[in-house]
Amino acid sequence: PLVKCLIAPGGEVVGPLVIATSSFDPSLGYVVPPGTWLIDAVVQIEGRGRFTTPTLPITVDRSL
């Protein structure tokens, strides 16, 4: 989903990160299995372009 955050020049903001566990890989089925995975986020700054955050590990504890 599109989530807009207004940030003053030179400022910073903590924004929400929405994580869904639906798999795009048919071999995994409909749920991402438990384990350690990598995640990054794409941030678009109006008038400046799109940027990708560093990749960080996340842990999926269990499938619901």
Side-chain angles (χ1 to χ4, degrees):
L2 175 64
V3 178
K4 288 189 174 187
C5 297
L6 298 177
I7 307 169
E12 60 184 59
V13 67
V14 175
L17 177 61
V18 178
I19 301 173
T21 59
S22 295
S23 171
F24 289 104
D25 184 345
S27 68
L28 294 175
Y30 294 104
V31 176
V32 175
T36 300
W37 298 85
L38 299 176
I39 189 169
D40 59 26
V42 177
V43 178
Q44 183 167 333
I45 301 175
E46 197 169 314
R48 301 269 320 268
R50 292 168 58 100
F51 303 88
T52 303
T53 64
T55 302
L56 297 171
I58 63 167
T59 299
V60 176
D61 289 331
R62 61 191 166 115
S63 299
L64 297 175

